[in-house]
Amino acid sequence: MSGKERRRVRVGLVGAGFVARLHAEAYHHVHGLDVELTCVAAARRERATKFAAEFGVGRIESDLGAVLSAPDVDVVDLCSPSYLHADMAIAAARAGKHVIVEKPLTGFFGPAATPRREMLRQALSSADAVIDACRGGKVRLCYAENWVYAPPVQKARRLLAAAGGPILRLVGEESHSGTHAPVNKRWDTGGGGSLLGKGCHPLGAALYLKADEGVRLRGRPIRPVSVSAETANLVATETFRAAGTPFLNTVEGADVEDWGAMLVGFDDGTVAQIAAADTVLGGIRNQLVAYGARAMVICNINPNNVVQAYAPDGAVFGEEYLVEKLETKAGWSSPQPDEDWTSGYPQEIQDFMEAVALGREPLSGGALARDVTAVIYGAYLSAAEGRRVDLRPLLREDVAQVLK
Amino acid sequence: MSGKERRRVRVGLVGAGFVARLHAEAYHHVHGLDVELTCVAAARRERATKFAAEFGVGRIESDLGAVLSAPDVDVVDLCSPSYLHADMAIAAARAGKHVIVEKPLTGFFGPAATPRREMLRQALSSADAVIDACRGGKVRLCYAENWVYAPPVQKARRLLAAAGGPILRLVGEESHSGTHAPVNKRWDTGGGGSLLGKGCHPLGAALYLKADEGVRLRGRPIRPVSVSAETANLVATETFRAAGTPFLNTVEGADVEDWGAMLVGFDDGTVAQIAAADTVLGGIRNQLVAYGARAMVICNINPNNVVQAYAPDGAVFGEEYLVEKLETKAGWSSPQPDEDWTSGYPQEIQDFMEAVALGREPLSGGALARDVTAVIYGAYLSAAEGRRVDLRPLLREDVAQVLK
Amino acid sequence: MSGKERRRVRVGLVGAGFVARLHAEAYHHVHGLDVELTCVAAARRERATKFAAEFGVGRIESDLGAVLSAPDVDVVDLCSPSYLHADMAIAAARAGKHVIVEKPLTGFFGPAATPRREMLRQALSSADAVIDACRGGKVRLCYAENWVYAPPVQKARRLLAAAGGPILRLVGEESHSGTHAPVNKRWDTGGGGSLLGKGCHPLGAALYLKADEGVRLRGRPIRPVSVSAETANLVATETFRAAGTPFLNTVEGADVEDWGAMLVGFDDGTVAQIAAADTVLGGIRNQLVAYGARAMVICNINPNNVVQAYAPDGAVFGEEYLVEKLETKAGWSSPQPDEDWTSGYPQEIQDFMEAVALGREPLSGGALARDVTAVIYGAYLSAAEGRRVDLRPLLREDVAQVLK
Amino acid sequence: MSGKERRRVRVGLVGAGFVARLHAEAYHHVHGLDVELTCVAAARRERATKFAAEFGVGRIESDLGAVLSAPDVDVVDLCSPSYLHADMAIAAARAGKHVIVEKPLTGFFGPAATPRREMLRQALSSADAVIDACRGGKVRLCYAENWVYAPPVQKARRLLAAAGGPILRLVGEESHSGTHAPVNKRWDTGGGGSLLGKGCHPLGAALYLKADEGVRLRGRPIRPVSVSAETANLVATETFRAAGTPFLNTVEGADVEDWGAMLVGFDDGTVAQIAAADTVLGGIRNQLVAYGARAMVICNINPNNVVQAYAPDGAVFGEEYLVEKLETKAGWSSPQPDEDWTSGYPQEIQDFMEAVALGREPLSGGALARDVTAVIYGAYLSAAEGRRVDLRPLLREDVAQVLK
């Protein structure tokens, strides 16, 4: 709308890869306030240059330090590898810049042989350091959990609120056929496997919906209290190896799980079943089902049937995008007419920009990120020790208060 | 994005009802240029006042004339009853304002007993007057056919273009349980029934896709050449009347059809089946299927399964919106997480604003509107006379050239 | 169940091809009475021999005449080419055998250039001859329209009856990618194209449901009164020919339509939209939707989502059957767990056997077959002359009475 | 088919309730051999009398003993409460009768406070007693797990076998809104809650598919080795109680879980996620998904979209059946055209009759029943102790050998 009294938010991007492109696209769709993409820094400068030209970014900076010392940057958007998130976020907070961090907020990054209890300790300590630095710097911490913003999840929230009563059970999953990027397949760079990289999404949405319900029903968020989990490395099984050329993406040297499932208990006696896998053919599956006491809501983020297409062979649709991680373009598929929108990316960036411009908390912030960290690393501990893990000692109550 | 070099478009709205609200919402989501809602005029001033307050419109004007003489209005958005479209659009064009007209562009408005041939003549003559006025005034004519912009339809277009080859057949329908508004149920105010009010949408999308295909395959739009149609007044049947309290919306004094189906032939030998009804329970149905020679694409604008919800009784979801024209909120439904987005409203308004700001044709303009008018009133003639109608003498070739 | 008082029906089959196999499979599933496959005759004796061995048929007969003179045959099942149906059925009736005829009952078989009016005349005259011969011979005429028996259609019938009130509109289609068999692609052997070969199914179901409704609401069947239709030969278009190697099945020398659509009016003022095409990729589509005044019912005979499967390439599923007329086994598909059952084949044969054993009319008999013949050849006339065809003079009232 | 050489199986039924009716219906659909329903015994004689009349049962017997001493009974079908299964089956086996037992085969029936380890011990011991008695009596033990026979599950099996390679993960669930029958809601009569009563179905199908895969890939069944589980009593939560009139079915005095989830590990390193709940609105959900290394298959036993119906209010469909456990008949629903068939009941009874007549093992027999018992009571132990349970010491290897 009219620019007369429009507020302006100036963004410095760190990273110029896949996620940075998703965000840049979303910044261009922000409405109601002016977003300026001031500068971008990336490990490979030529990539930053190309990115800047494509998305109208003002200038290239050499590194994070340069972005942080730029006076014309209000918020830093960290689209960097997971193992760099925490240090970068802390540096940004100390420089007085608002921070946007991609999921996962942080984690444990080290040898696979590290005891899971130690992993959990380090991951929580790292999350706390980020949160405390942001508080200390009086800057917003925006946790880029797009499922919170995905239109189907928000519609579910509104329907469940209208229906009243508790959500008795949530069942969620994000799965696909795995990544080609070794960085995400090792503990030292990825901080975990399927549970962390994919499970964070349905878990984040589930924690968000239960927190929202708590505020609605009793004035404070409902929190997770326990987790029982199992993990597996399914592509390491003998029968998989014997099954011939794999259709699933496998990576040499992978040391993380490619399947995980968590049974989460909440402080109101209700439950969630969260699963994540890198061993699913047929395109990404992003689904969440809420079984309420008074209503049921199914969210088909992906796939869904808004568009159904058929090609008699795999070459017919050429370069036209169908859906993430589909092995063949032949046969029937469910092409996404606008995957970004259904996934919540523009809505997420819109919220972050408004949070920064208006001085309020984003819907998805540090409190959610920390709970996700506690549950997932709690799940790793559970799977390793073959027992239920009590989450209560692992949560920060001061953080819960801001969770909306 | 940044407002530095941003272009501005100033909009004057005529009407403050349902459609005006849809548009106002969409104006607020325009990105990349500044839209100013300068003023609004409505038959009932208090409605305009409320509307202006809600949507941040600058001022209230007494009537169309006042809007047209305002120097700070670039484009007039006509959200007025159908029978006023043509006169208002012509006045706007003459005043040098760009014009946005809701569907239908225009039509025949008079006694039901008028011969269909005469209806056809008047409707085309009215459409021509609008188009010529806009040409004369050197203003853009934006025809608000949202299906052209609906993400599923645009995805279908891209998939079909990627696949190559012709669309052999299109099957489309818009239907619901009927309107409560008598204005839409009479020839003198509505200009027709289901075929005009609802059939214009799938027909518009079908004509758009075939025109696009023609440009792609042979450098000029494919045009419709014939139509065979039937219409009926299904709620006037004896068995319907005998079936007890009707669940369908019926209107005293209705004189238009509540069902129509058109079999359209194109100049390349291919076909479309278009249907529209006001006699469909269970929520609006907006569907289009393209049967290509090399691919098939189904567009489920509404319903689709992005969200599936269940309420054990009709009161559970309270005031929360589910889907247009659903008789009960009990049982399973397919609530739309963002009906505007899936229906193409924000994308349509974005295109219109860019067309005006950048001095180019909108995707949906006068050429499409005129073809729609010719096919639908040709269909009325066909149904009345029980014979196929040749559309070729009814089309304007000078208009086709701009159709993209 | 127990064989003590079981009735026995002895069947003679004529033909040993695809349809005969479907029937034979169904005979083996008949319960509650004993079916004996006494003998089979086929043009190619070796085929009959193989068939007999596979399905436990008692003996091979040389030809129809031998089957008809066999004293141990109660009913003759004619799984022969369409153009032989009428003569064979008449011979069977005269020999005092009950008759099962595959769809279409009969039709016009001759040069494509024959005026459609003459086609219509011959088709009706042929149907009448069959019906009158069966009456004369006091034998049952079983018309193998499986859609009447398909569980989804029967469920729709029960739901609509429970709801009460009229069906205002029926929309049905059978389509797929076309046949390889030249016999079905020529007027002289096939008797028509898509409309006859595929359209007979949704039309048959629609006529059945309306007849049933009439008996329910007013004590006598509702009958069709008019048809407006269009046909086309879509694979003969220039753009199709230019689109490279066709994925659709085309046949040299084809002279029938590969798409047809009928708008049917009923004597109660309601309507049906029936379509059929040989130009649809992605597997067969068998769908019927009933829009009632008090309920809506969608029948997804095929495809449906009972099973959803995905193969990353087309070789994965090997020889395992997925669904009729699917071009590729790659990607997502909707394999039918038991296509025969969902299509109504065993239920149809069960009814025919009971009709013969108990001396009652089958659900799908000569009355339905004749109405189907009248509407489809009426549609051919309509499409050729570009005008609505009045069906009333073409129907036999004496036949309607037995339609249930 | 012809009765000449038909084999006959004579059945004595125990029980005349819901399940007995399902079975009786299925007996009437058996083909290829003669089934005689010789006699029926039920606790309430008048119910047996009515049942016998309705389904053509030869005579009424006073009790199990009378059935067992009848010389004209080959097989006894136990449609009695769960807690009677074991004793009755043992008695039948000792009397030399083949046995059909409904699920669960047996279990623990006693006070809720019993330690789960003791429950597990008693359940396995009871299962062993049944199996050993059947072996001793040289009679077939038919375990009525209909999911093994459900067409979608069998189609999945064939597709997975055609694809080759392992099933990496199975995800299954049976859930609905709970039972009104107190007998199923207490440990002393039901032997457990959701996990036993509903979870046995998807678990049974999962164990069957993995066993089948093992035979296919390595010549012997794949067996479960571990289970981690959680259970909850969701309707006992404070927020549920506060949510007003419950839509879920609750029972006074219930002491079993109404939700349970099991994470099962197999001896080949693969996994299954099985869930069951009595807290699900919107109709029963019977779903199984197999994620193979080379293909993915989804089984929508219920709901599926074969028929989709809509009623504007809950009275419209009257007494016509829609789907199990649906709270309202208003809105959209997915009526089952033939729930028995899709659920596998007639196919199950057909297999049992053939197994008895031909002297072979049924597809679902004692081996499967015992594994199901071990996993489910292992899961109860896991949930109670908050730790993973090793199943290997709990399985009988001699039993596995017959599992097909």
Side-chain angles (χ1 to χ4, degrees):
Chain A
M1 302 301 292
S2 171
K4 264 179 286 190
E5 79 305 359
R6 292 165 73 98
R7 293 168 196 263
R8 170 176 301 186
V9 179
R10 296 164 304 175
V11 181
L13 290 128
V14 179
F18 177 68
V19 169
R21 299 178 66 86
L22 278 181
H23 285 202
E25 197 65 51
Y27 285 121
H28 278 274
H29 284 79
V30 170
H31 52 85
L33 43 79
D34 289 345
V35 174
E36 191 171 350
L37 298 183
T38 310
C39 58
V40 59
R44 282 178 279 165
R45 192 181 178 91
E46 73 284 3
R47 212 172 169 190
T49 309
K50 190 158 163 264
F51 180 90
E54 184 173 351
F55 292 105
V57 183
R59 66 177 182 275
I60 319 296
E61 291 288 5
S62 54
D63 57 15
L64 175 69
V67 174
L68 296 186
S69 38
D72 59 352
V73 167
D74 302 315
V75 53
V76 178
D77 184 353
L78 300 174
C79 302
S80 47
S82 305
Y83 62 90
L84 298 174
H85 285 177
D87 286 352
M88 285 183 161
I90 292 168
R94 286 181 182 157
K97 309 297 191 191
H98 301 290
V99 186
I100 298 171
V101 193
E102 254 305 313
K103 61 90 204 167
L105 175 66
T106 183
F108 160 84
F109 303 93
T114 308
R116 296 304 184 260
R117 180 166 297 280
E118 174 61 16
M119 288 182 175
L120 169 61
R121 197 195 59 73
Q122 287 189 29
L124 289 180
S125 153
S126 175
D128 285 341
V130 174
I131 289 167
D132 292 340
C134 289
R135 286 193 179 180
K138 296 190 190 314
V139 298
R140 302 286 155 198
L141 174 54
C142 301
Y143 171 57
E145 177 43 71
N146 57 288
W147 279 41
V148 164
Y149 299 95
V153 174
Q154 282 296 326
K155 185 67 185 179
R157 184 187 60 75
R158 293 194 298 273
L159 287 164
L160 293 160
I167 306 167
L168 299 173
R169 176 167 67 126
L170 284 151
V171 178
E173 171 160 348
E174 171 159 329
S175 291
H176 60 54
S177 56
T179 176
H180 287 291
V183 69
N184 293 327
K185 288 291 212 176
R186 294 184 54 82
W187 281 101
D188 51 14
T189 47
S194 308
L195 268 191
L196 185 69
K198 292 183 182 57
C200 63
H201 289 303
L203 177 64
L207 295 180
Y208 164 72
L209 288 174
K210 288 299 292 185
D212 180 81
E213 174 196 326
V215 172
R216 169 163 58 84
L217 291 185
R218 70 185 194 191
R220 63 195 161 80
I222 292 164
R223 308 289 296 281
V225 294
S226 71
V227 64
S228 291
E230 293 285 1
T231 59
N233 197 350
L234 298 171
V235 302
T237 56
E238 219 170 285
T239 44
F240 180 81
R241 288 167 186 275
T245 318
F247 293 110
L248 297 166
N249 299 319
T250 54
V251 167
E252 203 58 38
D255 61 14
V256 295
E257 85 280 3
D258 58 16
W259 168 80
M262 304 181 273
L263 306 175
V264 180
F266 290 96
D267 66 20
D268 64 345
T270 65
V271 296
Q273 304 162 228
I274 306 293
D278 283 270
T279 50
V280 169
L281 296 167
I284 196 167
R285 300 190 85 75
N286 285 338
Q287 301 172 319
L288 187 72
V289 185
Y291 298 85
R294 299 172 52 81
M296 176 171 168
V297 186
I298 301 173
C299 302
N300 292 309
I301 302 178
N302 206 334
N304 58 53
N305 72 355
V306 174
V307 176
Q308 302 275 279
Y310 176 82
D313 80 37
V316 156
F317 286 138
E319 295 303 305
E320 181 66 17
Y321 182 75
L322 296 188
V323 76
E324 201 180 332
K325 297 280 178 184
L326 197 63
E327 293 77 24
T328 175
K329 288 182 152 180
W332 283 98
S333 62
S334 300
Q336 287 293 308
D338 187 343
E339 202 163 65
D340 286 7
W341 182 85
T342 314
S343 301
Y345 294 121
Q347 300 88 336
E348 167 193 283
I349 292 293
Q350 181 80 30
D351 181 55
F352 290 168
M353 293 299 96
E354 293 181 4
V356 165
L358 308 174
R360 63 157 173 81
E361 277 295 296
L363 215 52
S364 174
L368 180 62
R370 198 184 179 291
D371 277 3
V372 166
T373 309
V375 176
I376 289 178
Y377 282 90
Y380 282 133
L381 179 61
S382 168
E385 301 193 348
R387 61 173 188 82
R388 185 187 300 137
V389 166
D390 187 350
L391 296 170
R392 284 166 299 186
L394 309 177
L395 302 183
R396 270 177 77 165
E397 280 317 304
D398 63 325
V399 170
Q401 302 317 312
V402 300
L403 193 67
K404 288 192 295 191
Chain B
M1 305 301 293
S2 170
K4 264 178 287 188
E5 80 304 2
R6 291 165 73 96
R7 294 167 194 264
R8 170 175 302 187
V9 179
R10 297 164 304 174
V11 180
L13 290 127
V14 179
F18 177 67
V19 168
R21 300 179 66 86
L22 277 182
H23 285 202
E25 197 66 52
Y27 285 122
H28 277 274
H29 283 80
V30 169
H31 52 85
L33 44 78
D34 289 346
V35 174
E36 193 171 348
L37 299 183
T38 310
C39 58
V40 60
R44 283 177 279 166
R45 192 181 178 90
E46 72 285 4
R47 212 173 170 189
T49 309
K50 189 157 165 268
F51 180 90
E54 185 173 350
F55 292 104
V57 182
R59 66 176 183 275
I60 319 297
E61 292 289 7
S62 54
D63 57 14
L64 175 69
V67 174
L68 295 185
S69 38
D72 59 353
V73 167
D74 302 313
V75 54
V76 178
D77 184 353
L78 301 174
C79 302
S80 47
S82 305
Y83 61 92
L84 298 174
H85 286 177
D87 286 351
M88 284 184 161
I90 292 167
R94 287 180 182 157
K97 309 297 189 188
H98 300 291
V99 185
I100 298 172
V101 193
E102 255 306 312
K103 61 90 204 168
L105 174 67
T106 183
F108 161 83
F109 304 94
T114 310
R116 297 304 183 261
R117 179 166 297 279
E118 173 60 16
M119 288 183 175
L120 168 62
R121 198 196 57 75
Q122 286 190 30
L124 289 180
S125 151
S126 174
D128 285 341
V130 174
I131 288 167
D132 292 340
C134 288
R135 285 191 178 180
K138 296 191 191 315
V139 298
R140 302 285 155 198
L141 173 54
C142 301
Y143 170 57
E145 177 44 69
N146 57 289
W147 278 41
V148 164
Y149 299 95
V153 174
Q154 282 296 327
K155 185 68 185 180
R157 184 187 61 74
R158 292 194 298 274
L159 288 164
L160 293 161
I167 306 167
L168 299 173
R169 176 167 67 126
L170 285 151
V171 178
E173 171 159 348
E174 171 159 329
S175 291
H176 61 54
S177 55
T179 177
H180 287 291
V183 69
N184 293 325
K185 288 292 215 175
R186 293 184 54 83
W187 280 100
D188 51 14
T189 48
S194 309
L195 267 192
L196 185 69
K198 292 183 182 55
C200 63
H201 289 303
L203 177 64
L207 295 179
Y208 164 73
L209 287 174
K210 287 300 290 184
D212 179 81
E213 174 196 324
V215 172
R216 170 164 57 84
L217 291 185
R218 69 185 196 192
R220 64 195 161 80
I222 292 162
R223 309 288 297 281
V225 294
S226 70
V227 64
S228 291
E230 293 285 1
T231 60
N233 198 350
L234 297 170
V235 303
T237 56
E238 220 171 284
T239 45
F240 180 82
R241 288 167 187 276
T245 318
F247 293 109
L248 297 166
N249 298 318
T250 55
V251 167
E252 202 60 37
D255 61 14
V256 294
E257 85 281 2
D258 58 17
W259 169 80
M262 304 182 271
L263 305 176
V264 180
F266 290 96
D267 66 21
D268 64 344
T270 66
V271 296
Q273 303 163 230
I274 305 294
D278 283 271
T279 51
V280 169
L281 297 167
I284 197 168
R285 299 191 86 74
N286 286 337
Q287 301 172 319
L288 186 72
V289 186
Y291 298 85
R294 300 172 52 80
M296 175 170 169
V297 186
I298 302 172
C299 301
N300 291 308
I301 302 177
N302 208 332
N304 57 55
N305 72 354
V306 174
V307 176
Q308 302 276 281
Y310 175 83
D313 80 36
V316 158
F317 286 138
E319 295 303 307
E320 180 67 18
Y321 182 76
L322 296 188
V323 75
E324 202 180 332
K325 297 279 180 186
L326 197 62
E327 293 77 25
T328 175
K329 286 182 153 182
W332 283 99
S333 62
S334 301
Q336 286 293 308
D338 187 343
E339 202 162 66
D340 286 8
W341 181 87
T342 315
S343 301
Y345 294 121
Q347 300 88 335
E348 168 193 282
I349 292 294
Q350 181 79 30
D351 181 56
F352 291 169
M353 293 299 96
E354 292 179 6
V356 165
L358 307 175
R360 62 158 175 79
E361 277 295 295
L363 215 51
S364 175
L368 180 62
R370 197 185 181 290
D371 277 3
V372 167
T373 309
V375 175
I376 291 179
Y377 282 89
Y380 282 132
L381 179 61
S382 167
E385 301 192 348
R387 61 170 188 84
R388 183 187 302 137
V389 166
D390 187 350
L391 295 170
R392 284 167 300 186
L394 309 178
L395 302 184
R396 269 177 77 165
E397 280 317 304
D398 62 326
V399 169
Q401 303 316 312
V402 300
L403 193 67
K404 287 191 298 193
Chain C
M1 301 302 294
S2 171
K4 264 177 287 191
E5 80 303 1
R6 293 166 71 97
R7 293 168 194 263
R8 171 175 300 187
V9 179
R10 298 165 302 174
V11 180
L13 289 127
V14 179
F18 177 68
V19 168
R21 300 178 65 86
L22 278 181
H23 285 202
E25 196 67 50
Y27 285 121
H28 277 273
H29 284 78
V30 169
H31 50 86
L33 44 79
D34 289 344
V35 174
E36 191 170 351
L37 299 184
T38 311
C39 57
V40 59
R44 284 177 279 166
R45 193 180 177 92
E46 74 282 6
R47 212 173 169 187
T49 309
K50 191 159 162 265
F51 180 90
E54 184 173 351
F55 292 104
V57 183
R59 67 176 182 276
I60 320 295
E61 292 288 6
S62 54
D63 56 15
L64 175 69
V67 174
L68 295 185
S69 38
D72 59 353
V73 166
D74 301 312
V75 54
V76 177
D77 184 353
L78 300 174
C79 303
S80 47
S82 305
Y83 62 91
L84 298 174
H85 286 177
D87 286 352
M88 286 183 160
I90 291 167
R94 287 181 181 154
K97 309 297 190 191
H98 301 290
V99 186
I100 299 172
V101 194
E102 254 307 310
K103 61 91 202 165
L105 174 65
T106 183
F108 160 84
F109 303 93
T114 310
R116 297 303 184 262
R117 179 166 297 280
E118 174 60 17
M119 288 182 175
L120 168 62
R121 197 195 60 75
Q122 287 190 30
L124 288 180
S125 151
S126 174
D128 285 341
V130 174
I131 289 167
D132 293 340
C134 289
R135 286 192 179 180
K138 296 192 193 311
V139 298
R140 302 286 156 197
L141 174 54
C142 302
Y143 170 57
E145 176 45 69
N146 57 290
W147 278 42
V148 163
Y149 299 95
V153 173
Q154 281 296 328
K155 185 68 185 178
R157 184 187 61 76
R158 293 195 297 273
L159 287 164
L160 292 161
I167 306 168
L168 299 174
R169 176 168 67 127
L170 284 151
V171 179
E173 170 158 349
E174 171 158 328
S175 292
H176 60 53
S177 55
T179 177
H180 287 291
V183 69
N184 293 326
K185 288 292 214 176
R186 293 184 55 81
W187 281 100
D188 50 16
T189 47
S194 310
L195 268 191
L196 184 69
K198 293 182 181 56
C200 63
H201 290 303
L203 177 65
L207 295 179
Y208 164 71
L209 288 174
K210 288 300 292 183
D212 179 81
E213 173 196 325
V215 172
R216 168 164 58 83
L217 291 185
R218 70 185 194 192
R220 64 195 159 79
I222 291 162
R223 308 289 297 281
V225 293
S226 71
V227 63
S228 291
E230 293 284 1
T231 59
N233 198 348
L234 297 171
V235 303
T237 56
E238 220 171 284
T239 44
F240 179 82
R241 290 168 184 274
T245 318
F247 293 109
L248 297 167
N249 299 318
T250 54
V251 166
E252 204 58 37
D255 61 13
V256 295
E257 83 282 1
D258 58 18
W259 167 81
M262 304 182 272
L263 305 176
V264 180
F266 289 96
D267 67 19
D268 64 345
T270 65
V271 296
Q273 304 163 227
I274 306 294
D278 282 273
T279 51
V280 169
L281 297 167
I284 196 168
R285 300 190 85 75
N286 285 340
Q287 302 171 320
L288 186 72
V289 186
Y291 298 85
R294 300 173 52 82
M296 175 171 170
V297 186
I298 302 172
C299 301
N300 292 308
I301 302 178
N302 209 333
N304 57 55
N305 72 356
V306 174
V307 176
Q308 302 274 281
Y310 175 83
D313 80 38
V316 157
F317 285 137
E319 295 303 306
E320 180 67 18
Y321 182 75
L322 297 187
V323 76
E324 200 179 333
K325 297 279 180 186
L326 197 61
E327 292 78 22
T328 175
K329 287 182 153 181
W332 283 98
S333 62
S334 300
Q336 287 293 308
D338 188 344
E339 203 162 67
D340 286 8
W341 182 85
T342 316
S343 301
Y345 294 121
Q347 300 88 337
E348 168 192 283
I349 291 295
Q350 182 78 31
D351 181 56
F352 290 168
M353 292 301 94
E354 293 180 6
V356 165
L358 307 173
R360 62 158 174 79
E361 275 296 294
L363 215 50
S364 174
L368 180 62
R370 196 185 181 291
D371 277 3
V372 166
T373 309
V375 176
I376 289 179
Y377 283 89
Y380 282 131
L381 179 62
S382 168
E385 301 193 348
R387 61 172 189 83
R388 184 187 302 138
V389 166
D390 187 350
L391 296 170
R392 284 167 299 187
L394 309 178
L395 302 183
R396 270 178 75 165
E397 279 319 301
D398 62 325
V399 169
Q401 302 318 311
V402 299
L403 192 65
K404 286 191 295 196
Chain D
M1 303 302 295
S2 171
K4 265 176 285 190
E5 81 303 3
R6 293 166 71 97
R7 294 168 193 264
R8 171 175 300 189
V9 179
R10 299 163 303 175
V11 181
L13 290 127
V14 179
F18 177 68
V19 168
R21 301 178 65 85
L22 278 181
H23 285 202
E25 196 67 49
Y27 286 121
H28 278 274
H29 283 79
V30 170
H31 51 86
L33 43 79
D34 288 345
V35 174
E36 192 171 350
L37 298 184
T38 310
C39 58
V40 59
R44 282 177 280 167
R45 193 183 177 89
E46 73 282 7
R47 211 173 171 189
T49 310
K50 188 157 166 267
F51 180 91
E54 184 173 351
F55 293 104
V57 183
R59 66 177 183 273
I60 319 294
E61 292 288 6
S62 54
D63 56 15
L64 175 68
V67 173
L68 295 186
S69 39
D72 59 353
V73 167
D74 304 311
V75 54
V76 178
D77 184 354
L78 301 175
C79 302
S80 48
S82 306
Y83 62 92
L84 298 174
H85 285 178
D87 286 352
M88 285 183 160
I90 291 167
R94 287 181 182 157
K97 309 296 190 191
H98 301 290
V99 186
I100 298 172
V101 194
E102 254 307 311
K103 61 88 204 169
L105 174 66
T106 183
F108 160 84
F109 304 94
T114 309
R116 296 305 183 259
R117 180 165 297 279
E118 174 60 17
M119 288 183 174
L120 169 61
R121 197 195 59 73
Q122 288 190 30
L124 288 181
S125 151
S126 174
D128 285 340
V130 174
I131 288 167
D132 293 340
C134 289
R135 285 193 180 179
K138 296 193 192 312
V139 298
R140 302 285 155 197
L141 174 54
C142 302
Y143 170 57
E145 177 44 69
N146 57 289
W147 278 41
V148 163
Y149 300 95
V153 174
Q154 282 296 327
K155 185 69 184 178
R157 185 186 61 74
R158 292 195 298 273
L159 287 165
L160 292 161
I167 306 169
L168 299 174
R169 176 167 67 126
L170 285 151
V171 179
E173 171 159 348
E174 170 157 330
S175 291
H176 61 51
S177 55
T179 175
H180 287 291
V183 69
N184 292 325
K185 288 292 215 177
R186 293 184 54 82
W187 280 102
D188 52 14
T189 46
S194 310
L195 268 191
L196 185 70
K198 293 183 182 57
C200 65
H201 290 303
L203 177 65
L207 295 180
Y208 164 71
L209 288 174
K210 288 300 291 184
D212 179 81
E213 174 196 326
V215 172
R216 169 164 56 85
L217 292 185
R218 68 184 195 193
R220 64 196 161 79
I222 292 163
R223 307 288 298 281
V225 293
S226 71
V227 64
S228 291
E230 294 285 0
T231 59
N233 198 347
L234 297 171
V235 303
T237 56
E238 219 170 283
T239 45
F240 180 82
R241 289 167 185 276
T245 318
F247 294 109
L248 297 167
N249 298 319
T250 55
V251 167
E252 203 59 37
D255 61 13
V256 296
E257 85 282 1
D258 57 16
W259 167 81
M262 304 182 272
L263 305 176
V264 179
F266 290 95
D267 66 20
D268 64 345
T270 65
V271 297
Q273 304 162 228
I274 306 294
D278 283 271
T279 51
V280 168
L281 297 167
I284 197 168
R285 300 190 86 74
N286 285 340
Q287 301 171 320
L288 186 72
V289 186
Y291 298 85
R294 300 171 52 80
M296 176 172 169
V297 187
I298 302 172
C299 301
N300 292 308
I301 301 178
N302 208 333
N304 57 52
N305 72 355
V306 174
V307 176
Q308 302 274 280
Y310 176 83
D313 82 38
V316 158
F317 286 137
E319 295 303 307
E320 180 67 17
Y321 182 74
L322 296 188
V323 75
E324 200 179 333
K325 297 282 179 183
L326 197 62
E327 293 77 23
T328 176
K329 286 182 153 180
W332 283 98
S333 61
S334 300
Q336 287 293 309
D338 187 343
E339 203 162 65
D340 286 8
W341 181 86
T342 315
S343 300
Y345 294 121
Q347 300 88 338
E348 169 193 283
I349 291 295
Q350 180 79 29
D351 181 55
F352 291 168
M353 292 299 95
E354 293 180 5
V356 165
L358 308 175
R360 62 156 174 81
E361 277 295 295
L363 214 51
S364 175
L368 180 62
R370 196 185 181 289
D371 277 2
V372 167
T373 309
V375 176
I376 289 178
Y377 282 90
Y380 282 132
L381 179 61
S382 168
E385 302 193 348
R387 61 171 188 83
R388 183 188 302 138
V389 166
D390 187 350
L391 295 171
R392 285 166 299 186
L394 310 177
L395 302 183
R396 269 178 75 164
E397 280 316 304
D398 63 326
V399 170
Q401 301 318 311
V402 300
L403 191 67
K404 286 190 297 192

